[in-house]
Amino acid sequence: MKFRDGMWLVADDKYVEYAEDIYDMAERKNGLSLLCPTRKIKSRGDSLNRSTITIDMEAAFDGVISVEVTHWAGAANKGPHFGLYPDGRPGVSGVVSKSDKGTTLASGALSATIHPDHHDIFDIRFHGTDDPSTKSLTSLQARSVGLAYSPAPTSPMQTADMRDLKHYMFTQTTLGVGETVHGLGERFGAFNKVGQSVTLWNADGGTSSDQAYKNVSFWLSSRGYGVFIDHAGRVELEVGSERTSRVQTSVEGQRLKWYIIYGPTPKEVLRRYSVLTGRPGNVPSWSFGLWLSTSFTTSYDEDTVSGFLEGMRERNTQVDVFHYDCFWMKAFTWTDFVFDAEKFPDPKAQIARLKASGLVRKVCVWINPYIAQHGAAFAHAAEKGYLLKRKDGDDVWQWDLWQAGMGLMDFTNPAAAAWYTECLEKLFDVGVDAIKTDFGERIPSHDVAWHDRAVDPEKMHNYYAFLYNKVVYAALQKRFGPGEAVLFARAACAGTQRFPLQWGGDCESTAEAMAESVRGGLSLGLSGFAFWSVDIGGFEGLPAPWIYKRWVAFGLLCSHSRLHGSSSYRVPWTIDADDRTGEGCSRTLARWTALKTRLMPYLFAQAAVAVEAGLPLSLRAMCIEFPDDPTSWYLDRQFMIGDSLLAAPVFDEAGLVEFYLPKGTWTCFFTNKTRTGPGWFKEKHGFGSLPLYVRENTLLVLGKEGIKGAVYDYTKEVEVCLYQAREGASARLRDQDGKSVGQLTLGANAELQGAEVLRGSWTYCEAGRKVEEDSATAKGIEWL
């Protein structure tokens, strides 16, 4: 939202006042409270008929300071509020000091300093505590904190009746020369947000617009800090798009609160952010395997499901999770939790047979929080008050968008959440192991009354995704235990990373949409989410065989991998008329699934690191691993998988690809040939490869070749590979249940320490992995 018309004029429909003077500073426990009139106070008379803005700054914990700006403090501060510090708040000791440089609030590694001449110069600078001159992060300067009305009142008397006036609070933090901004949820546009207007408001808008399913009120700067906006409702940001040298944050209401989070590295910023909003949850090993879906509007029944899985086995691809999408229930009944008896006469028996046969390990079903009027659940839910009501409190809120006469689950009602959990438990009894929590974005904010009358309907719009996924995740944890709960969620807000995992929503079946998806995954990873997936092949449309195969390569290198479409199947033989050659879709899918299976010892160990540190596993933006390389902050067509593997998807039918390698020696995974960075490189790839490079000083553990499925013994008959490794290089090991079993470390003279945890006839390769079995793939790679 823009409040000005260029540099000199206020926008037509706005009235704006700015904090001009820091009239008074009061020391509070762990912080400061600043009284800021909206004009400079030169005489007593200047204090009359004048608004003030209070700026409260508090040391939150080491490296983090909260900033809250308030106009009228008597306004109700309705929820919902983000549940901060879910694992406990760290100890804090804010220290206030004064010097010739001003008044400083220090919170461990981060400080805020107020200009000594604060009556005449509005200047609050955020900087590293140990060296303010070299670790300047951002600041609040003149005309950077303010309030606004819309439409513009012509007299202060008009504010006696606020029913026809909107009131906003805003701040503008400075952008340094060359500074870039990233994150703000799963955003599919330009990776660097500078120059963009961003509205944080969950919407079902696909992947080809500025709308987002997952709006997260956190952004990361290339200058070594991040900002978390503690507001569950709509947030408007002008990232260098109103004033080119500032990030403006605005909300409707009387107060705006945010936290500035110091790094100085992106990893440290994300770690501290995860302390504030929660670390990602752990996911089980089986979830990393290949997921196969029925797709959305396709026709399928019990025979179709069995046929798909048998066809995949015949073509040498193991499916770990089978997903029943919407039409496991009858049309017009979603979501009533009842299998279509005509299509699936005995789902429990079928699921048991599929698992017993080894065709699949786990089963997932699709749900959403909308309860269709014609389904078996609606009458009961409406009678018991489990559905959202209209504002008058009597009528159930309904509309015909998506499902005829659908109502919306009111998860602010504990009884409604308990009933919904009971419905899920019946699915678990049938054999369901995971839940796809679709939708949750189209949440009304007008003419509604929630069961919890203390919540603001506008704030509930985004926050609903948190409540919805929390209820389902808790039900899964209750049934299957910690570390075994898995969602496949589309909607999210800040904190939802605690309920993994998320996927990218409705993308088209094009190379451009695949690139959009890469940008979305990168941005979500920089918003505190560890695990992410995508609809392999694209959701909308029928992918051309080359698109499918390129997307398979990309999708099997995401943390989680699912084949899913809209009106067409994604089993490979339907894409290319069952081409069984080495370049066909079936062989391509088999190769990439096998590669991910071999990577499981590395992936599962790296997943634990990601959870501990609040980092993305894959897609991990290059700037996380290489923050001192300026180029890394602009790379949006490649990513890291954990800390040691670099992947660059191919978006071209002929296989041409250009990518960047940071400083160091990098080894091609497929050939063991090396390149030296920093620099840009061009290659040409067949469908069995892409630029996949191993970082120097890596000790990489690979599973035994030929194993089917993601779950196996990650210490047995493995291949231990060194890549320009030096003494001290190490690799963690976890077993298939997630338990740490040890660490391999490279000692002097290439001696491998900790190898006693390895079982069977494992192999040790000191110059990259054995590549003989991939000779055909290696020959298909051209360095240009």
Side-chain angles (χ1 to χ4, degrees):
M1 176 176 292
K2 291 181 170 66
F3 295 102
R4 300 197 67 84
D5 178 7
M7 279 287 290
W8 318 120
L9 303 178
V10 177
D12 286 345
D13 60 339
K14 303 293 193 306
Y15 171 83
V16 182
E17 294 183 339
Y18 299 95
E20 298 281 359
D21 182 357
I22 300 177
Y23 180 77
D24 183 63
M25 281 190 289
E27 190 169 340
R28 301 282 189 261
K29 182 180 180 181
N30 292 318
L32 290 167
S33 183
L34 314 180
L35 179 62
C36 305
T38 55
R39 67 175 295 177
K40 295 190 183 301
I41 307 301
K42 301 298 185 181
S43 68
R44 288 184 174 182
D46 292 339
S47 66
L48 302 176
N49 303 311
R50 177 56 48 187
S51 58
T52 61
I53 296 172
T54 303
I55 303 176
D56 291 306
M57 298 191 298
E58 181 183 359
F61 60 96
D62 180 20
V64 181
I65 291 175
S66 68
V67 177
E68 184 170 27
V69 297
T70 306
H71 181 204
W72 291 336
N77 190 13
K78 291 188 173 182
H81 301 291
F82 294 117
L84 302 183
Y85 307 108
D87 298 316
R89 181 172 179 171
V92 60
S93 178
V95 178
V96 176
S97 61
K98 295 185 178 181
S99 70
D100 59 351
K101 294 182 179 180
T103 301
T104 297
L105 167 64
S107 180
L110 175 66
S111 290
T113 297
I114 302 158
H115 195 280
D117 190 9
H118 54 80
H119 291 298
D120 290 327
I121 301 175
F122 191 95
D123 183 339
I124 304 172
R125 296 182 181 270
F126 300 92
H127 55 85
T129 298
D130 57 352
D131 192 351
S133 60
T134 61
K135 292 186 178 179
S136 177
L137 305 175
T138 188
S139 63
L140 294 169
Q141 297 291 306
R143 290 194 164 189
S144 64
V145 177
L147 62 94
Y149 294 99
S150 181
T154 57
S155 165
M157 293 290 288
Q158 289 177 252
T159 62
D161 184 352
M162 293 292 293
R163 288 175 295 180
D164 295 325
L165 290 173
K166 292 187 175 182
H167 183 282
Y168 302 93
M169 297 299 298
F170 64 86
T171 60
Q172 294 178 346
T173 52
T174 53
L175 277 172
V177 176
E179 182 174 357
T180 61
V181 169
H182 307 269
L184 295 173
E186 182 190 57
R187 316 210 75 83
F188 304 102
F191 180 51
N192 176 16
K193 303 301 181 286
V194 173
Q196 298 183 37
S197 298
V198 179
T199 299
L200 303 183
W201 188 252
N202 284 0
D204 177 7
T207 69
S208 298
S209 75
D210 61 354
Q211 294 182 359
Y213 303 104
K214 306 169 188 67
N215 288 273
V216 179
S217 50
F218 169 78
W219 51 271
L220 180 73
S221 165
S222 60
R223 286 177 68 91
Y225 71 96
V227 172
F228 168 60
I229 305 155
D230 190 9
H231 184 82
R234 184 193 300 266
V235 179
E236 305 271 2
L237 294 112
E238 299 293 339
V239 188
S241 48
E242 175 161 317
R243 290 199 63 173
T244 57
S245 59
R246 294 183 179 181
V247 177
Q248 177 175 281
T249 302
S250 63
V251 300
E252 185 177 352
Q254 294 291 339
R255 55 177 59 82
L256 166 61
K257 184 174 184 179
W258 44 263
Y259 293 76
I260 180 167
I261 305 169
Y262 182 50
T265 67
K267 285 186 176 181
E268 190 63 15
V269 173
L270 288 169
R271 184 195 67 79
R272 286 179 165 130
Y273 173 71
S274 72
V275 171
L276 197 60
T277 62
R279 292 188 305 174
N282 283 297
V283 291
S285 55
W286 56 260
S287 71
F288 290 86
L290 181 64
W291 295 49
L292 173 63
S293 165
T294 60
S295 293
F296 172 30
T297 62
T298 53
S299 177
Y300 70 94
D301 56 16
E302 183 174 316
D303 291 339
T304 312
V305 173
S306 298
F308 279 174
L309 291 170
E310 289 165 357
M312 295 292 274
R313 171 181 280 180
E314 178 192 348
R315 292 163 179 80
N316 204 32
T317 297
Q318 178 64 46
V319 174
D320 275 291
V321 185
F322 189 83
H323 170 69
Y324 295 79
D325 215 55
C326 315
F327 281 97
W328 65 272
M329 296 173 285
K330 286 186 176 181
F332 292 109
T333 69
W334 309 339
T335 295
D336 68 355
F337 306 97
V338 179
F339 273 85
D340 182 340
E342 180 181 343
K343 301 289 187 180
F344 304 98
D346 191 350
K348 183 174 183 178
Q350 186 207 11
I351 291 172
R353 288 194 301 271
L354 293 176
K355 292 179 179 179
S357 69
L359 288 170
V360 69
R361 180 177 291 272
K362 302 290 182 179
V363 163
C364 175
V365 296
W366 173 98
I367 64 168
N368 62 39
Y370 310 137
I371 309 298
Q373 179 172 293
H374 301 288
F378 182 86
H380 177 75
E383 178 188 355
K384 294 294 185 180
Y386 298 159
L387 303 178
L388 180 62
K389 298 290 186 66
R390 295 270 180 195
K391 200 168 186 178
D392 59 20
D394 293 325
D395 294 335
V396 171
W397 177 89
Q398 292 179 264
W399 66 7
D400 291 327
L401 187 62
W402 183 244
Q403 289 287 285
M406 52 157 270
L408 177 68
M409 284 300 302
D410 185 347
F411 289 118
T412 71
N413 182 349
W419 172 78
Y420 200 79
T421 299
E422 290 174 5
C423 295
L424 294 173
E425 288 172 343
K426 293 176 183 177
L427 292 177
F428 304 153
D429 291 340
V430 171
V432 172
D433 307 281
I435 299 291
K436 174 182 172 180
T437 50
D438 205 354
F439 286 83
E441 305 93 2
R442 293 173 177 169
I443 308 303
S445 56
H446 300 285
D447 190 27
V448 291
W450 293 88
H451 174 81
D452 182 354
R453 297 305 174 95
V455 302
D456 179 348
E458 192 265 353
K459 292 182 179 179
M460 278 297 297
H461 175 86
N462 284 354
Y463 194 75
Y464 188 88
F466 181 90
L467 294 180
Y468 167 36
N469 286 295
K470 180 181 180 181
V471 167
V472 180
Y473 191 75
L476 286 160
Q477 282 192 316
K478 179 182 176 182
R479 171 58 66 95
F480 301 112
E484 286 293 318
V486 179
L487 303 180
F488 222 86
R490 192 173 75 174
C493 62
T496 317
Q497 68 269 13
R498 290 151 55 184
F499 320 125
L501 63 105
Q502 286 71 32
W503 104 97
D506 300 347
C507 47
E508 295 175 317
S509 298
T510 65
E512 292 77 12
M514 185 163 67
E516 292 164 4
S517 295
V518 172
R519 295 193 296 269
L522 292 172
S523 290
L524 191 67
L526 289 176
S527 305
F529 288 71
F531 306 111
W532 182 84
S533 186
V534 67
D535 290 344
I536 295 176
F539 179 74
E540 294 289 349
L542 179 64
W546 77 266
I547 288 284
Y548 181 89
K549 288 181 283 189
R550 296 299 184 197
W551 211 312
V552 160
F554 160 48
L556 267 297
L557 294 177
C558 297
S559 77
H560 289 77
S561 308
R562 182 185 67 160
L563 296 162
H564 181 64
S566 178
S567 58
S568 55
Y569 302 125
R570 290 294 177 265
V571 287
W573 55 90
T574 65
I575 305 297
D576 62 359
D578 201 14
D579 180 354
R580 299 288 187 108
T581 68
E583 291 291 287
C585 291
S586 293
R587 290 284 295 277
T588 299
L589 178 62
R591 279 197 299 269
W592 286 101
T593 304
L595 172 58
K596 188 172 189 182
T597 300
R598 288 206 72 193
L599 287 172
M600 276 303 297
Y602 170 78
L603 290 173
F604 206 38
Q606 286 285 312
V609 176
V611 167
E612 291 169 8
L615 298 174
L617 172 60
S618 176
L619 285 50
R620 182 177 295 182
M622 298 294 297
C623 57
I624 292 179
E625 293 295 330
F626 305 95
D628 295 330
D629 185 335
T631 302
S632 73
W633 292 92
Y634 295 90
L635 299 172
D636 63 0
R637 299 191 304 276
Q638 61 186 72
F639 52 88
M640 296 295 291
I641 307 163
D643 57 27
S644 295
L645 295 179
L646 181 153
V650 180
F651 303 98
D652 176 73
E653 181 174 7
L656 297 172
V657 57
E658 187 174 15
F659 59 97
Y660 178 83
L661 295 177
K663 183 179 179 179
T665 301
W666 296 82
T667 303
C668 173
F669 180 85
F670 297 104
T671 65
N672 281 342
K673 293 171 63 177
T674 62
R675 290 189 183 276
T676 302
W680 286 92
F681 302 91
K682 292 182 180 180
E683 294 179 0
K684 185 175 182 180
H685 286 262
F687 294 114
S689 64
L690 50 65
L692 181 63
Y693 279 81
V694 187
R695 190 177 185 176
E696 70 178 20
N697 201 33
T698 291
L699 196 162
L700 182 65
V701 182
L702 298 172
K704 182 181 178 181
E705 185 185 3
I707 291 178
K708 301 296 183 185
V711 182
Y712 57 92
D713 187 340
Y714 303 141
T715 66
K716 184 178 181 181
E717 299 181 343
V718 298
E719 184 178 349
V720 181
C721 313
L722 304 186
Y723 292 88
Q724 291 80 43
R726 301 180 289 275
E727 183 177 353
S730 63
R732 298 188 189 184
L733 289 173
R734 299 171 77 198
D735 66 19
Q736 64 188 46
D737 297 319
K739 180 182 176 181
S740 176
V741 295
Q743 178 171 293
L744 301 179
T745 303
L746 186 62
N749 302 315
E751 176 190 358
L752 190 63
Q753 300 172 352
E756 62 272 8
V757 302
L758 301 180
R759 302 175 60 239
S761 55
W762 56 277
T763 57
Y764 184 45
C765 304
E766 296 186 27
R769 72 184 186 95
K770 293 185 297 182
V771 298
E772 292 82 5
E773 72 273 15
D774 287 329
S775 58
T777 298
K779 290 178 181 178
I781 301 174
E782 297 181 39
W783 287 19
L784 305 176

